[in-house]
Amino acid sequence: QVQLVESGGGSVQPGGSLRLSCTASVTNFVFNNMGWYRQAPGKQRELVATITHDGSATYVDFVKGRFTIARDGPRNTVYLQMTSLNAQDTAVYYCYAELVIGVRTEYWGQGTQVTVSS
């Protein structure tokens, strides 16, 4: 059984910063990939960033230069440092992890709210 628990969400002013964290309750495995998705009201869930087990990171264009993803592999923890936040970043952010042992299995956190407003 694997549970992903997010923290660090909240309300910030435009231009502000937040650091999201996600920790797995089970540490018997090293996830092949971990990352973050987000879903804004009335929109579909979208990819934000991913990071492999060996630290290779990818970002979607609209967060490049503003967000940084990092990982503590042995502890199955992933972080998302967000800077220069704007109203369009307002969404529920979901932690994601995938494990491939014969078949691919994915896990999701319950989400943490990020609100950017004046």
Side-chain angles (χ1 to χ4, degrees), residues 41-55:
K43 298 183 179 180
Q44 293 185 316
R45 189 173 300 185
E46 62 183 0
L47 174 69
V48 177
T50 62
I51 187 167
T52 67
H53 69 279
D54 59 356

Side-chain angles (χ1 to χ4, degrees), residues 3 7 9 13 17 22 41 49-50 62 67 71 74-75 89-90 94 97 103 105 108-109 116:
Q3 294 182 345
S7 63
Q13 298 284 103
S17 300
C22 172
T50 62
F62 54 81
F67 293 6
R71 177 175 177 172
R75 298 187 179 183
D89 296 316
T90 296
Y94 295 91
V103 298
T105 305
W108 293 90
V116 185

